[in-house]
Amino acid sequence: MIEQEELMKSKKSLLKKYEIPIDHISFEYVEKCNDRKELEKIVKILRSGEEGHFPLLTQCAETRLRQVAPESHVLRTEEPTLTKSTLEPDHWDRVSNEIEEWTGEMRTREEELKKSSSIYKSSDDLPAVRNVKMSKMLGSHNDKQEAGPSRMKSAVPRNYADWDKFDVDKELLKMELEDERRKEQAMKKKRQQEKEKKKNKRDEDDTFSNIADNLSATEKEFMAAQEKDRGNEYYRSGDYDLAVKHYTCSILLCPTPAAYNNRAIAYLKLHKFGAALTDCNQVLEADPLNVKALLRRGTAHQNSNNYEQAFEDFCKVVGLEPDNKLAKSLSEQMKKKCGSNLKSVRMTIEDEPTGFVFPAPRHNVAVNEWGLAKTMCRCNGIPAWSCRTAPKCRICKRKRADRRTEKEEERQKIKQATEDTSEMGEERGSIVVKVTPAADDGRDEQSNENISSDQMQIDEKGSGDILATEKSMENVVQENSELPLHKDLISSELDSRKGSRELREQRVELENMLEIKKLKDAEGKAFMSRDNNVAMEKREGGNFESDKKEVKQTTSEVKLKLPLSSDISTAMETDKRGDTRVNKKNIGNASLEANKLKNEKLSVGNSNSSNETVQTEGNEEKNTPSEASGLKDTKQKISPGIGNTEPQQTKVKVANKYKVNERTSREVPIECSTKQSAHEEGQSVNIITSPYEFMKVWQALKGSTDVSGHAQVMRAVQPVDLQTVVGNKLDGPMLSTILHCLEKHFAPELALEYLEKLVLLPRFNIAGSFLESSEKQAVHLLLKELQNLGHHPSVTVWEAFPC
Amino acid sequence: MEKPQVITYAEKSTSLSLFDCRWIPCSAKFVVLGSKPRGTGVINVYEINEGDIQLVKEVEKTKAFKCGTYGASSLQDRYLATGDFEGKLNIWNLEDTTAPIYSAAAHKEIINSIDGIGGQNIGCGAPEIVTGSRDGSVKVWDPRQKGKPVATMEPAEGDARRDCWAVAFGNSYNSEERIVCSGYDNGDIKMFDLKTMSLRWETNVKNGVCGIEFDRRDISMNKMVATTLESKFYVFDVRTQHPKKGFAYLTEKVIVEFVTLQAHKSTIWVVRHLPQNREIFATCGGAGTLCLWKYNYPARRVMCDTDGNEMGVMGTTSLLQNATLSTQPISNLDWSPDKQGMAVCTSFDQTIRIIIVTKLNTL
């Protein structure tokens, strides 16, 4: 008896052990209790039955616990396994059928394996037998542990005498040093770890050899399945690189649609849309109605901005699975994106040199293989910018090119642009950056330099997002108003700005057009349509008039130098707009292009843009020849930053560029009134590649005293094309005009390029004999100047223009 | 998420003490290792046939078999490596079992655990077998080298020899790297690097370690599970090793609560990862229960401490299913490499069970 009592005492009841008041074990308390631990304890107490059996209360406590903490281990219950008797008959049948099928399959597989094992011999190229002389002993783990840093002597003094010696500053310094040392070590360690990781990766790469060759088909299948499972595992844990590696192994062993399909999704996750596309195509070749592959290919298309193809794929999925919500929503998205395109002209996309070329990945920004910043991607890997603007998706590639031309256009009327932007700045307040000060300063070289360095900064920073540009732009100008944090906000702002800017551009274009009109009747129609456009815009915009005035003001002002800085900033301005430019113009222009650009392999959208490019470029270059090329570069540098690309051009070092710019702009006196530039623009032509075009334009300029128009034409002819374009049409007057052009309107370097090609023309010698000696003399001087500048004209050129 | 169901597909009671079971790769057959009441060893080959387990072949040898593996043999050969009560390592061709094709007196005492590697994978190194024995040593064998081990890990002379209960291969992602992990009766877990032949890491989990397994042997090591007496198992994240703290781990207690509260704690005998999904593993033991677990990775698996050392971060495990298979402890379980969710298990009630876990692919 006593023993039992003692036992009872020593063995406390759970209630006491958990220290839970007895009144907590009640419906009222339990129903309101949110404390997981307490609830668990209550449940345990109730289950133990030490306080009596309360089935309802126990149940209540359990349900409450399930609500509070569904994962609680107290709630874990065992269930007996299901057997034939406890399982529903049809379920059981399903399971057993499946297994019987499997056993049959296994038997055939075993047969195959047995047959093949007589043919294939197990591979000999296994690693050699491990050769360890002395195996390590277990107990030696003590010496494994590092001795560790020797114990620092305690810094705290033990007695008063020590306190006297205690130097606080010294100790502090010591501590600081210690801290620094630790940090340094940490950094070092990190670097080392990274290095090791890289090395390990390399090691992994060389594993898969051709052992696979001496395996039987069954083995290959088995291993392929295994590798695929490994890939799935890595995919699930988010190691997409490794997943791809294993899927690739699986495919190498035994290509299956499933493995390709899985690799496609892994590639998608890695933003390798091209690779994903090919994998999906592989699957669809074998199984054209594979829903997953279709979906994945659609996504790949979508992310490579081929919205129409994406739309097609998604539509197919919807056709196959009408209930597939994902496909439905995606196809609707795609429909929206390419809605305008589907309705209007269907454009073919060809990758031409001036087209959309993917920029090289930048180091400081994570980009996907399309050069779009990864950070832009939101859900579904859809770049943010593509979400923003609704229609006209297909054109957006082109739009980049468009934008480029706009920049160019801008440049020729910087003043105007400057005023504009500043005006807009005032108007819109929040994010608009004032360009005016920079533009003014732009007249002195120093700020030019400044800007150029800033420009470089942008270049380096260059990320796909507008924000960065915006930011650096603000650096340039040093006068920033508040910077909105949200990208979309900016873009919407920019979009709103777009309107007035567009108007201005169109206005200028209109002027150009009016000029051209006189010259070319055939194009009249196009201009009319454009005219209408502008008129429409006028009605809509309303501030057209003020714009015009502004330009008039400025025309007289713009004279000698083009303030480069403002140029850049306006160029950036244009970029920032990230706009979707007017379709209307494209369409309006279509007829014009049809005439003009027969032999250009450009799509409609782009032909328009390139057209403009040449026009404007030509203008610019005429004004300040070398500057133009410099600016071209600048432009080029900005644009990749915007996620855009440019035709590949040789880059000129920035510093040089500006020097040249200064010089030439001083040397070459030109009037740059807007009007004239507009006039010139009108005369200018696209890149000329055929003799017919060249002669047509050249003849049209007959009688004009100014050679600027000719220079314009020359610009449209690439030096390399001279041979084909001019050919044996060269005659005395033409040659003399060309030489005039080269001398007056071209940068020496560029002129040299033309000269080199010119002297090689078949009729050059004959035409040359018509030249006046003064002309030859002038060219000779030019050549000498070139030589002084460090260029080396070839012997033929020297011979052609003797002293 | 639907809960997976555990279905007992077939049962067969035998007159044997069952210690181990293994699927024969690429077949619907499995082998069972055990001993007859009179102490002789038995290798039985069974086949699943129309909902039944049929005995295909019976091999009887003088010494009882404790454990076996197919890990080191290719799919063409499919030789079974066994460890017996006498400490002998044998490799059998089950077509012809008159004599083993390889035999070595590996240990002085019973071989508790065996693991093989290199047979069925490409580019993960030589075929090797590791054995752990009561004599405290862990030995690595290459079937191409007769008679002596290629590596031995044992306590130094004079040190106490602990009973080695579990061994496992891992980290064999290329032809050089390889790791052996062993668990001892005192709760020690030791990790040996076979490339550098050094002790890489060790820890103690306080209770005897009954089972150890890496989630995959042939990938750079990712996760390791060790099961112990006293109903606890440990999941180690072995991808990142901290110089001082070693590997991060979490521990989970399998509490078996009987109404009578009599078997509150029990041993977890074995852990086996699903061949088709390494995040899912089964632990068996104690009172004849089978627990199905899923490991969930944390958002970031690695973090840096103040010294710039990387250390692993544990995720969580969730219990998918807790099923009672038998009233006696489950001694061993093996997932079929060919059929997802199919497993064979042996228990101390002398019964072989084929279980099927459904809905695993939806996890």
Side-chain angles (χ1 to χ4, degrees), chain A residues 79 81-82 98-99 127 130 135 138 141 189 219 226 233, chain B residues 8 76 121 128 144 152 154 202 216 309 322 324 339 356:
Chain A
E79 288 165 25
T81 54
L82 301 161
E98 201 182 308
I99 288 175
R130 201 179 293 278
S135 42
L138 250 193
H141 57 85
K189 231 175 236 171
E219 274 179 290
Q226 204 176 334
E233 281 160 7
Chain B
T8 308
Q76 288 161 14
N121 307 85
E128 278 178 343
R144 295 170 296 177
T152 307
E154 58 186 354
E202 66 177 335
R216 288 285 173 266
N309 296 312
N322 184 359
T324 325
K339 173 91 182 143
I356 290 160

PDB file of all heavy atoms in Angstrom, chain A residues 79 81-82 98-99 127 130 135 138 141 189 219 226 233, chain B residues 8 76 121 128 144 152 154 202 216 309 322 324 339 356:
ATOM      1  N   GLU A  79      -2.874   4.821 -39.160  1.00  0.00           N
ATOM      2  CA  GLU A  79      -3.990   4.179 -39.831  1.00  0.00           C
ATOM      3  C   GLU A  79      -3.533   2.798 -40.247  1.00  0.00           C
ATOM      4  O   GLU A  79      -2.401   2.632 -40.687  1.00  0.00           O
ATOM      5  CB  GLU A  79      -4.383   4.972 -41.084  1.00  0.00           C
ATOM      6  CG  GLU A  79      -5.058   6.273 -40.751  1.00  0.00           C
ATOM      7  CD  GLU A  79      -5.106   7.193 -41.950  1.00  0.00           C
ATOM      8  OE1 GLU A  79      -5.066   6.696 -43.092  1.00  0.00           O
ATOM      9  OE2 GLU A  79      -5.155   8.417 -41.730  1.00  0.00           O
ATOM     10  N   THR A  81      -3.047  -0.193 -42.715  1.00  0.00           N
ATOM     11  CA  THR A  81      -2.938  -0.152 -44.175  1.00  0.00           C
ATOM     12  C   THR A  81      -4.203  -0.717 -44.797  1.00  0.00           C
ATOM     13  O   THR A  81      -4.930  -1.500 -44.182  1.00  0.00           O
ATOM     14  CB  THR A  81      -1.756  -1.003 -44.656  1.00  0.00           C
ATOM     15  OG1 THR A  81      -1.917  -2.309 -44.117  1.00  0.00           O
ATOM     16  CG2 THR A  81      -0.449  -0.403 -44.238  1.00  0.00           C
ATOM     17  N   LEU A  82      -4.415  -0.264 -45.979  1.00  0.00           N
ATOM     18  CA  LEU A  82      -5.584  -0.746 -46.701  1.00  0.00           C
ATOM     19  C   LEU A  82      -5.271  -2.099 -47.309  1.00  0.00           C
ATOM     20  O   LEU A  82      -4.146  -2.350 -47.745  1.00  0.00           O
ATOM     21  CB  LEU A  82      -5.955   0.247 -47.792  1.00  0.00           C
ATOM     22  CG  LEU A  82      -6.266   1.654 -47.290  1.00  0.00           C
ATOM     23  CD1 LEU A  82      -6.167   2.655 -48.404  1.00  0.00           C
ATOM     24  CD2 LEU A  82      -7.641   1.680 -46.648  1.00  0.00           C
ATOM     25  N   GLU A  98      -2.947  -2.806 -62.568  1.00  0.00           N
ATOM     26  CA  GLU A  98      -1.731  -2.041 -62.865  1.00  0.00           C
ATOM     27  C   GLU A  98      -0.498  -2.872 -62.547  1.00  0.00           C
ATOM     28  O   GLU A  98       0.459  -2.926 -63.317  1.00  0.00           O
ATOM     29  CB  GLU A  98      -1.749  -0.772 -62.011  1.00  0.00           C
ATOM     30  CG  GLU A  98      -0.859   0.344 -62.525  1.00  0.00           C
ATOM     31  CD  GLU A  98      -0.919   1.520 -61.577  1.00  0.00           C
ATOM     32  OE1 GLU A  98      -2.037   1.980 -61.254  1.00  0.00           O
ATOM     33  OE2 GLU A  98       0.151   1.962 -61.137  1.00  0.00           O
ATOM     34  N   ILE A  99      -0.545  -3.534 -61.434  1.00  0.00           N
ATOM     35  CA  ILE A  99       0.620  -4.318 -61.034  1.00  0.00           C
ATOM     36  C   ILE A  99       0.821  -5.516 -61.940  1.00  0.00           C
ATOM     37  O   ILE A  99       1.953  -5.851 -62.316  1.00  0.00           O
ATOM     38  CB  ILE A  99       0.489  -4.741 -59.555  1.00  0.00           C
ATOM     39  CG1 ILE A  99       0.698  -3.499 -58.691  1.00  0.00           C
ATOM     40  CG2 ILE A  99       1.494  -5.815 -59.188  1.00  0.00           C
ATOM     41  CD1 ILE A  99       0.488  -3.718 -57.255  1.00  0.00           C
ATOM     42  N   PRO A 127      36.889   3.049 -63.333  1.00  0.00           N
ATOM     43  CA  PRO A 127      38.077   3.542 -62.623  1.00  0.00           C
ATOM     44  C   PRO A 127      38.828   2.379 -61.971  1.00  0.00           C
ATOM     45  O   PRO A 127      38.242   1.353 -61.646  1.00  0.00           O
ATOM     46  CB  PRO A 127      37.493   4.467 -61.561  1.00  0.00           C
ATOM     47  CG  PRO A 127      36.107   4.741 -61.982  1.00  0.00           C
ATOM     48  CD  PRO A 127      35.672   3.638 -62.858  1.00  0.00           C
ATOM     49  N   ARG A 130      40.581   1.041 -56.078  1.00  0.00           N
ATOM     50  CA  ARG A 130      41.125   1.990 -55.105  1.00  0.00           C
ATOM     51  C   ARG A 130      42.375   1.407 -54.472  1.00  0.00           C
ATOM     52  O   ARG A 130      42.413   0.237 -54.114  1.00  0.00           O
ATOM     53  CB  ARG A 130      40.068   2.238 -54.035  1.00  0.00           C
ATOM     54  CG  ARG A 130      40.242   3.506 -53.264  1.00  0.00           C
ATOM     55  CD  ARG A 130      39.118   3.630 -52.283  1.00  0.00           C
ATOM     56  NE  ARG A 130      37.837   3.827 -52.952  1.00  0.00           N
ATOM     57  CZ  ARG A 130      37.421   5.009 -53.384  1.00  0.00           C
ATOM     58  NH1 ARG A 130      38.159   6.070 -53.231  1.00  0.00           N
ATOM     59  NH2 ARG A 130      36.236   5.122 -53.973  1.00  0.00           N
ATOM     60  N   SER A 135      45.036   2.445 -44.466  1.00  0.00           N
ATOM     61  CA  SER A 135      43.739   3.032 -44.169  1.00  0.00           C
ATOM     62  C   SER A 135      43.820   3.754 -42.832  1.00  0.00           C
ATOM     63  O   SER A 135      44.485   3.312 -41.904  1.00  0.00           O
ATOM     64  CB  SER A 135      42.691   1.941 -44.148  1.00  0.00           C
ATOM     65  OG  SER A 135      43.204   0.822 -43.492  1.00  0.00           O
ATOM     66  N   LEU A 138      40.339   5.108 -36.999  1.00  0.00           N
ATOM     67  CA  LEU A 138      39.171   5.850 -36.586  1.00  0.00           C
ATOM     68  C   LEU A 138      39.445   6.835 -35.481  1.00  0.00           C
ATOM     69  O   LEU A 138      39.008   7.966 -35.514  1.00  0.00           O
ATOM     70  CB  LEU A 138      38.132   4.852 -36.065  1.00  0.00           C
ATOM     71  CG  LEU A 138      36.910   4.671 -36.923  1.00  0.00           C
ATOM     72  CD1 LEU A 138      35.884   3.929 -36.116  1.00  0.00           C
ATOM     73  CD2 LEU A 138      36.381   6.001 -37.373  1.00  0.00           C
ATOM     74  N   HIS A 141      40.444  11.074 -34.707  1.00  0.00           N
ATOM     75  CA  HIS A 141      39.723  12.298 -35.052  1.00  0.00           C
ATOM     76  C   HIS A 141      40.140  13.498 -34.221  1.00  0.00           C
ATOM     77  O   HIS A 141      39.841  14.623 -34.565  1.00  0.00           O
ATOM     78  CB  HIS A 141      38.221  12.086 -34.951  1.00  0.00           C
ATOM     79  CG  HIS A 141      37.776  11.625 -33.597  1.00  0.00           C
ATOM     80  ND1 HIS A 141      37.526  12.494 -32.598  1.00  0.00           N
ATOM     81  CD2 HIS A 141      37.564  10.374 -33.112  1.00  0.00           C
ATOM     82  CE1 HIS A 141      37.152  11.800 -31.525  1.00  0.00           C
ATOM     83  NE2 HIS A 141      37.163  10.531 -31.819  1.00  0.00           N
ATOM     84  N   LYS A 189      37.578  33.876 -47.204  1.00  0.00           N
ATOM     85  CA  LYS A 189      36.961  32.562 -47.174  1.00  0.00           C
ATOM     86  C   LYS A 189      35.867  32.449 -48.219  1.00  0.00           C
ATOM     87  O   LYS A 189      35.732  31.462 -48.917  1.00  0.00           O
ATOM     88  CB  LYS A 189      36.355  32.327 -45.788  1.00  0.00           C
ATOM     89  CG  LYS A 189      36.784  31.001 -45.187  1.00  0.00           C
ATOM     90  CD  LYS A 189      36.267  30.894 -43.789  1.00  0.00           C
ATOM     91  CE  LYS A 189      37.375  30.640 -42.805  1.00  0.00           C
ATOM     92  NZ  LYS A 189      36.932  30.738 -41.425  1.00  0.00           N
ATOM     93  N   GLU A 219      19.221  -1.538 -70.521  1.00  0.00           N
ATOM     94  CA  GLU A 219      19.971  -0.812 -69.508  1.00  0.00           C
ATOM     95  C   GLU A 219      19.881   0.676 -69.736  1.00  0.00           C
ATOM     96  O   GLU A 219      19.702   1.463 -68.812  1.00  0.00           O
ATOM     97  CB  GLU A 219      21.441  -1.237 -69.555  1.00  0.00           C
ATOM     98  CG  GLU A 219      21.728  -2.455 -68.727  1.00  0.00           C
ATOM     99  CD  GLU A 219      23.173  -2.839 -68.832  1.00  0.00           C
ATOM    100  OE1 GLU A 219      23.587  -3.292 -69.909  1.00  0.00           O
ATOM    101  OE2 GLU A 219      23.885  -2.656 -67.843  1.00  0.00           O
ATOM    102  N   GLN A 226      16.154   6.725 -64.838  1.00  0.00           N
ATOM    103  CA  GLN A 226      16.757   7.114 -63.570  1.00  0.00           C
ATOM    104  C   GLN A 226      17.261   8.560 -63.644  1.00  0.00           C
ATOM    105  O   GLN A 226      17.031   9.363 -62.735  1.00  0.00           O
ATOM    106  CB  GLN A 226      17.916   6.173 -63.280  1.00  0.00           C
ATOM    107  CG  GLN A 226      18.253   6.061 -61.830  1.00  0.00           C
ATOM    108  CD  GLN A 226      19.356   5.031 -61.603  1.00  0.00           C
ATOM    109  OE1 GLN A 226      19.541   4.112 -62.387  1.00  0.00           O
ATOM    110  NE2 GLN A 226      20.099   5.204 -60.550  1.00  0.00           N
ATOM    111  N   GLU A 233      14.015  15.621 -59.672  1.00  0.00           N
ATOM    112  CA  GLU A 233      14.315  15.969 -58.285  1.00  0.00           C
ATOM    113  C   GLU A 233      14.988  17.330 -58.202  1.00  0.00           C
ATOM    114  O   GLU A 233      14.632  18.173 -57.378  1.00  0.00           O
ATOM    115  CB  GLU A 233      15.217  14.902 -57.663  1.00  0.00           C
ATOM    116  CG  GLU A 233      14.441  13.673 -57.250  1.00  0.00           C
ATOM    117  CD  GLU A 233      15.323  12.461 -57.100  1.00  0.00           C
ATOM    118  OE1 GLU A 233      16.556  12.591 -57.181  1.00  0.00           O
ATOM    119  OE2 GLU A 233      14.765  11.373 -56.910  1.00  0.00           O
TER     120      GLU A 233
ATOM    121  N   THR B   8      -1.681  -2.677 -48.620  1.00  0.00           N
ATOM    122  CA  THR B   8      -0.967  -3.947 -48.576  1.00  0.00           C
ATOM    123  C   THR B   8      -1.472  -4.792 -49.733  1.00  0.00           C
ATOM    124  O   THR B   8      -2.632  -5.191 -49.761  1.00  0.00           O
ATOM    125  CB  THR B   8      -1.223  -4.687 -47.253  1.00  0.00           C
ATOM    126  OG1 THR B   8      -0.954  -3.780 -46.187  1.00  0.00           O
ATOM    127  CG2 THR B   8      -0.325  -5.892 -47.122  1.00  0.00           C
ATOM    128  N   GLN B  76      23.257  -6.089 -66.129  1.00  0.00           N
ATOM    129  CA  GLN B  76      23.447  -7.334 -66.855  1.00  0.00           C
ATOM    130  C   GLN B  76      23.763  -8.478 -65.901  1.00  0.00           C
ATOM    131  O   GLN B  76      23.261  -9.587 -66.046  1.00  0.00           O
ATOM    132  CB  GLN B  76      24.578  -7.179 -67.858  1.00  0.00           C
ATOM    133  CG  GLN B  76      24.193  -6.315 -69.030  1.00  0.00           C
ATOM    134  CD  GLN B  76      25.388  -5.775 -69.772  1.00  0.00           C
ATOM    135  OE1 GLN B  76      26.509  -6.238 -69.572  1.00  0.00           O
ATOM    136  NE2 GLN B  76      25.154  -4.793 -70.602  1.00  0.00           N
ATOM    137  N   ASN B 121      24.959   2.994 -62.387  1.00  0.00           N
ATOM    138  CA  ASN B 121      25.031   4.380 -62.808  1.00  0.00           C
ATOM    139  C   ASN B 121      26.252   4.601 -63.661  1.00  0.00           C
ATOM    140  O   ASN B 121      27.242   3.885 -63.546  1.00  0.00           O
ATOM    141  CB  ASN B 121      25.105   5.301 -61.601  1.00  0.00           C
ATOM    142  CG  ASN B 121      23.990   5.032 -60.632  1.00  0.00           C
ATOM    143  OD1 ASN B 121      24.115   4.151 -59.794  1.00  0.00           O
ATOM    144  ND2 ASN B 121      22.913   5.747 -60.775  1.00  0.00           N
ATOM    145  N   GLU B 128      31.747  -0.599 -55.747  1.00  0.00           N
ATOM    146  CA  GLU B 128      32.319  -0.870 -54.427  1.00  0.00           C
ATOM    147  C   GLU B 128      31.228  -1.273 -53.456  1.00  0.00           C
ATOM    148  O   GLU B 128      30.068  -0.907 -53.608  1.00  0.00           O
ATOM    149  CB  GLU B 128      33.064   0.363 -53.908  1.00  0.00           C
ATOM    150  CG  GLU B 128      34.464   0.474 -54.481  1.00  0.00           C
ATOM    151  CD  GLU B 128      35.203   1.706 -54.012  1.00  0.00           C
ATOM    152  OE1 GLU B 128      34.576   2.640 -53.508  1.00  0.00           O
ATOM    153  OE2 GLU B 128      36.421   1.724 -54.160  1.00  0.00           O
ATOM    154  N   ARG B 144      36.598  -6.464 -57.840  1.00  0.00           N
ATOM    155  CA  ARG B 144      37.692  -6.850 -58.727  1.00  0.00           C
ATOM    156  C   ARG B 144      38.953  -7.184 -57.949  1.00  0.00           C
ATOM    157  O   ARG B 144      39.920  -7.694 -58.506  1.00  0.00           O
ATOM    158  CB  ARG B 144      37.983  -5.698 -59.697  1.00  0.00           C
ATOM    159  CG  ARG B 144      36.832  -5.420 -60.638  1.00  0.00           C
ATOM    160  CD  ARG B 144      37.050  -4.150 -61.403  1.00  0.00           C
ATOM    161  NE  ARG B 144      37.076  -2.991 -60.519  1.00  0.00           N
ATOM    162  CZ  ARG B 144      37.305  -1.743 -60.933  1.00  0.00           C
ATOM    163  NH1 ARG B 144      37.559  -1.526 -62.200  1.00  0.00           N
ATOM    164  NH2 ARG B 144      37.306  -0.745 -60.093  1.00  0.00           N
ATOM    165  N   THR B 152      39.855   0.525 -45.158  1.00  0.00           N
ATOM    166  CA  THR B 152      39.337   0.085 -43.870  1.00  0.00           C
ATOM    167  C   THR B 152      39.277   1.268 -42.923  1.00  0.00           C
ATOM    168  O   THR B 152      40.214   2.053 -42.847  1.00  0.00           O
ATOM    169  CB  THR B 152      40.249  -0.989 -43.243  1.00  0.00           C
ATOM    170  OG1 THR B 152      40.444  -2.021 -44.202  1.00  0.00           O
ATOM    171  CG2 THR B 152      39.644  -1.554 -41.993  1.00  0.00           C
ATOM    172  N   GLU B 154      38.713   1.780 -39.012  1.00  0.00           N
ATOM    173  CA  GLU B 154      38.469   1.133 -37.735  1.00  0.00           C
ATOM    174  C   GLU B 154      39.154   1.910 -36.618  1.00  0.00           C
ATOM    175  O   GLU B 154      40.071   2.688 -36.868  1.00  0.00           O
ATOM    176  CB  GLU B 154      38.961  -0.311 -37.763  1.00  0.00           C
ATOM    177  CG  GLU B 154      40.422  -0.465 -38.094  1.00  0.00           C
ATOM    178  CD  GLU B 154      40.811  -1.924 -38.260  1.00  0.00           C
ATOM    179  OE1 GLU B 154      39.968  -2.808 -38.013  1.00  0.00           O
ATOM    180  OE2 GLU B 154      41.950  -2.163 -38.649  1.00  0.00           O
ATOM    181  N   GLU B 202      32.026  14.099 -37.870  1.00  0.00           N
ATOM    182  CA  GLU B 202      31.386  13.117 -37.002  1.00  0.00           C
ATOM    183  C   GLU B 202      30.503  13.818 -35.996  1.00  0.00           C
ATOM    184  O   GLU B 202      30.674  14.997 -35.698  1.00  0.00           O
ATOM    185  CB  GLU B 202      32.419  12.252 -36.291  1.00  0.00           C
ATOM    186  CG  GLU B 202      33.280  12.988 -35.311  1.00  0.00           C
ATOM    187  CD  GLU B 202      34.223  12.038 -34.596  1.00  0.00           C
ATOM    188  OE1 GLU B 202      33.908  10.856 -34.495  1.00  0.00           O
ATOM    189  OE2 GLU B 202      35.257  12.507 -34.145  1.00  0.00           O
ATOM    190  N   ARG B 216      20.424  10.250 -52.153  1.00  0.00           N
ATOM    191  CA  ARG B 216      20.922   9.640 -53.387  1.00  0.00           C
ATOM    192  C   ARG B 216      22.398   9.339 -53.185  1.00  0.00           C
ATOM    193  O   ARG B 216      23.120  10.151 -52.614  1.00  0.00           O
ATOM    194  CB  ARG B 216      20.773  10.595 -54.575  1.00  0.00           C
ATOM    195  CG  ARG B 216      19.367  10.806 -55.041  1.00  0.00           C
ATOM    196  CD  ARG B 216      18.868   9.607 -55.810  1.00  0.00           C
ATOM    197  NE  ARG B 216      17.451   9.759 -56.108  1.00  0.00           N
ATOM    198  CZ  ARG B 216      16.486   9.268 -55.345  1.00  0.00           C
ATOM    199  NH1 ARG B 216      16.770   8.599 -54.252  1.00  0.00           N
ATOM    200  NH2 ARG B 216      15.225   9.431 -55.678  1.00  0.00           N
ATOM    201  N   ASN B 309      31.490  31.976 -43.077  1.00  0.00           N
ATOM    202  CA  ASN B 309      31.374  30.551 -43.384  1.00  0.00           C
ATOM    203  C   ASN B 309      29.935  30.234 -43.757  1.00  0.00           C
ATOM    204  O   ASN B 309      29.002  30.745 -43.159  1.00  0.00           O
ATOM    205  CB  ASN B 309      31.758  29.720 -42.162  1.00  0.00           C
ATOM    206  CG  ASN B 309      33.199  29.924 -41.790  1.00  0.00           C
ATOM    207  OD1 ASN B 309      34.069  29.869 -42.638  1.00  0.00           O
ATOM    208  ND2 ASN B 309      33.433  30.199 -40.520  1.00  0.00           N
ATOM    209  N   ASN B 322       1.001   7.613 -41.929  1.00  0.00           N
ATOM    210  CA  ASN B 322       1.499   6.798 -40.831  1.00  0.00           C
ATOM    211  C   ASN B 322       0.626   5.551 -40.783  1.00  0.00           C
ATOM    212  O   ASN B 322      -0.521   5.608 -40.361  1.00  0.00           O
ATOM    213  CB  ASN B 322       1.397   7.612 -39.533  1.00  0.00           C
ATOM    214  CG  ASN B 322       1.988   6.873 -38.369  1.00  0.00           C
ATOM    215  OD1 ASN B 322       2.466   5.752 -38.485  1.00  0.00           O
ATOM    216  ND2 ASN B 322       1.950   7.500 -37.208  1.00  0.00           N
ATOM    217  N   THR B 324       0.028   1.385 -40.015  1.00  0.00           N
ATOM    218  CA  THR B 324       0.430   0.207 -39.263  1.00  0.00           C
ATOM    219  C   THR B 324       0.394  -1.000 -40.188  1.00  0.00           C
ATOM    220  O   THR B 324      -0.642  -1.324 -40.749  1.00  0.00           O
ATOM    221  CB  THR B 324      -0.544  -0.057 -38.103  1.00  0.00           C
ATOM    222  OG1 THR B 324      -0.974   1.191 -37.616  1.00  0.00           O
ATOM    223  CG2 THR B 324       0.124  -0.825 -37.011  1.00  0.00           C
ATOM    224  N   LYS B 339       9.081   0.440 -60.182  1.00  0.00           N
ATOM    225  CA  LYS B 339       7.670   0.801 -60.063  1.00  0.00           C
ATOM    226  C   LYS B 339       7.525   1.762 -58.893  1.00  0.00           C
ATOM    227  O   LYS B 339       7.826   1.413 -57.751  1.00  0.00           O
ATOM    228  CB  LYS B 339       6.841  -0.463 -59.836  1.00  0.00           C
ATOM    229  CG  LYS B 339       5.397  -0.212 -59.546  1.00  0.00           C
ATOM    230  CD  LYS B 339       4.592  -0.195 -60.813  1.00  0.00           C
ATOM    231  CE  LYS B 339       3.132   0.108 -60.501  1.00  0.00           C
ATOM    232  NZ  LYS B 339       2.531   0.950 -61.526  1.00  0.00           N
ATOM    233  N   ILE B 356       1.901  -0.984 -51.549  1.00  0.00           N
ATOM    234  CA  ILE B 356       1.831  -0.013 -52.639  1.00  0.00           C
ATOM    235  C   ILE B 356       1.390   1.312 -52.049  1.00  0.00           C
ATOM    236  O   ILE B 356       0.404   1.379 -51.305  1.00  0.00           O
ATOM    237  CB  ILE B 356       0.839  -0.472 -53.719  1.00  0.00           C
ATOM    238  CG1 ILE B 356       1.428  -1.682 -54.434  1.00  0.00           C
ATOM    239  CG2 ILE B 356       0.572   0.627 -54.716  1.00  0.00           C
ATOM    240  CD1 ILE B 356       0.405  -2.470 -55.142  1.00  0.00           C
TER     241      ILE B 356
END
